[in-house]
Amino acid sequence: MKSLAVLHASQLVTVAGPRRPRVGPELSELGIICDGGMLIRNGKIEIVGSSAEIENHAGDAEIIDARGKVVLPGFVDAHTHLVFAGNRLDDFERRARGDSYEEIAKAGGGIWSTVEKTRAASESELLAQAQKHVDWFLRCGTTTVESKSGYGLTLEDELKILQVMRRLKQETPLEIVPTFLGAHAVPREVRADEYVDLVVNEMLPRVTSDSLAEFCDVFCERGYFDIEQSRRILNRAKNLGLKLRVHADQLSNSGAAKLAAELKAGTADHLEKIDSQGIATLKSANVQPVLLPGSVYALGSTCYPPARDMIAAGLAVAIATDFNPGSSPTASMPMVLSLACTHMKMSSAEALSASTINPAYSLGRGDQIGSLEPGKAANFSVFDCYDYRELAYWFGFPQAHSVYVKGKKAY
Ligand SMILES: [Zn+2]
């Protein structure tokens, strides 16, 4: 593999720093090198420095001239629902007409409509649609995504979705971290407790024996899985060797954040309805919050999670797209940066740390990705702007110029 030399970036945003998630003022320290460059060998970053220094070591490396452009670590999207069939255009239309969630579900919409379509789809049909989704992520500068199952809700269909993720990992450049979310909703054909039994006794043992997931997640919310059911599922997952993430305090302050802390989950996600006590509990167990402003925006809500309170409390905040057909149909991390700055009052620098290095740590990969430092994977994107703050400032149109995964051009 030929070496690569990136030269003359107006800003090389390294996000270099301590080997742990960033908190407080550290979120604003981006380690920017003006007229920066880096040398890449065998898919890894070898040297990061000024363009003059890189040119001295470049030899016969292929040159990427990043003049007038910003180079930054590939985004790490720590919360997506990448694999599903169809879309939810009907729900979208109904929401625009003012229908409530209940009315939409009654009319045959909601999560159940995606479950039915996903069950009916073959593995190759799901793969073909998911490949399109993967392409969207890459074109927006994202090089790693966490991806949840959860639109199958039977053993067979959950395995089918996780198999599609395994194939995406092999067949596309995007790095995919699989999460088992069998407890996404209670399927219509069984009672909640019967379904929890199925998840605990059949699904989790099979998912782990086939090594199909690294994490287990639960939708802990009124009308989905209560605290006791969630605790049972997550404890079983932990005993089987999976790490934990929790959909928590999205629609109500249900105590799910406290459950995440009790079980030492890696992340608690959503948190639109968390209170100060919940924030303190997350801090006591070092749980990382993953905030999903795209779903607040797309549902037409204004209840954004209290990012400033979390940063003030010293939490290692991450932001993610929550890409899914119902509540957050976007694969664009730049759009999420914009929402984080305009609605959650994060600075551009904080949002950038929260979309690169912090989510990398939340996925157990902080030593491999999330910043541009020697020894890490050469996952980076080149953006067609002069200053990194332009990523959040201009919104709603593509700015990525090119994207590289392990030193290979992916877009
Ligand atoms: Zn989600």
Side-chain angles (χ1 to χ4, degrees), residues 22-329:
R22 310 295 152 75
V23 295
E26 293 167 358
L27 285 162
S28 305
E29 291 163 14
L30 297 182
I32 293 171
I33 304 172
C34 296
D35 192 19
M38 53 184 180
L39 188 67
I40 291 153
R41 253 192 252 282
N42 300 319
K44 287 196 169 174
I45 300 168
E46 198 166 273
I47 314 174
V48 177
S50 68
S51 284
E53 189 188 347
I54 302 302
E55 266 176 322
N56 279 339
H57 293 89
D60 65 347
E62 184 185 326
I63 305 290
I64 298 173
D65 188 348
R67 217 174 290 260
K69 298 185 179 68
V70 168
V71 174
L72 65 153
F75 292 122
V76 179
D77 195 335
H79 186 133
T80 83
H81 305 253
L82 184 79
V83 180
F84 55 85
N87 59 46
R88 297 261 277 280
L89 278 173
D90 293 341
D91 297 15
F92 181 64
E93 293 271 286
R94 283 180 175 277
R95 259 202 314 276
R97 292 205 298 266
D99 284 7
S100 69
Y101 184 83
E102 287 74 23
E103 286 168 323
I104 290 170
K106 229 182 207 170
I111 185 172
W112 190 249
S113 64
T114 300
V115 170
E116 283 181 327
K117 285 181 200 138
T118 305
R119 284 179 178 178
S122 67
E123 191 177 310
S124 57
E125 285 165 342
L126 282 178
L127 182 70
Q129 183 173 341
Q131 277 168 331
K132 196 168 161 184
H133 303 161
V134 164
D135 205 44
W136 292 341
F137 279 99
L138 290 168
R139 278 156 51 188
C140 293
T142 297
T143 52
T144 302
V145 300
E146 181 263 12
S147 170
K148 303 173 197 296
S149 69
Y151 291 115
L153 310 184
T154 65
L155 174 64
E156 194 185 49
D157 291 303
E158 287 295 305
L159 293 174
K160 177 175 72 180
I161 293 167
L162 291 165
Q163 286 293 356
V164 170
M165 291 182 203
R166 180 175 275 177
R167 286 182 64 186
L168 288 172
K169 216 165 150 179
Q170 292 158 350
E171 296 172 24
T172 77
L174 188 67
E175 296 198 304
I176 292 178
V177 181
T179 294
F180 170 65
L181 177 60
H184 193 191
V186 180
R188 279 185 178 166
E189 63 273 5
V190 289
R191 289 201 333 269
D193 281 334
E194 282 174 61
Y195 187 64
V196 173
D197 285 344
L198 180 75
V199 171
V200 165
N201 298 328
E202 292 183 40
M203 290 189 186
L204 275 168
R206 182 66 190 278
V207 166
T208 47
S209 71
D210 290 2
S211 301
L212 284 168
E214 286 183 38
F215 289 88
C216 178
D217 192 346
V218 171
F219 196 70
C220 182
E221 190 65 61
R222 205 170 39 208
Y224 292 84
F225 298 90
D226 65 21
I227 296 285
E228 203 33 61
Q229 292 164 335
S230 301
R231 183 185 281 118
R232 221 185 125 205
I233 293 166
L234 293 168
N235 262 326
R236 176 72 166 143
K238 203 172 173 179
N239 288 335
L240 287 166
L242 295 179
K243 292 173 279 179
L244 310 181
R245 321 179 82 78
V246 187
H247 277 72
D249 297 347
Q250 176 186 8
L251 309 171
S252 61
N253 185 350
S254 66
K258 286 174 202 123
L259 180 68
E262 173 197 316
L263 298 175
K264 302 255 180 305
T267 67
D269 302 37
H270 274 292
L271 305 175
E272 284 89 325
K273 296 285 166 67
I274 196 170
D275 57 16
S276 56
Q277 221 190 339
I279 291 176
T281 314
L282 291 184
K283 176 62 191 161
S284 70
N286 276 327
V287 179
Q288 282 189 258
V290 179
L291 309 182
L292 310 167
S295 62
V296 181
Y297 166 79
L299 290 174
S301 164
T302 52
C303 182
Y304 286 89
R308 288 257 58 95
D309 294 345
M310 295 180 192
I311 293 170
L315 294 183
V317 170
I319 56 177
T321 60
D322 192 18
F323 174 72
N324 77 77
S327 61
S328 194

Side-chain angles (χ1 to χ4, degrees), residues 368-386:
Q368 301 154 40
I369 55 171
S371 63
L372 302 178
E373 295 180 270
K376 285 198 168 182
N379 293 3
F380 63 98
S381 51
V382 181
F383 272 80
D384 213 352
C385 51
Y386 198 78

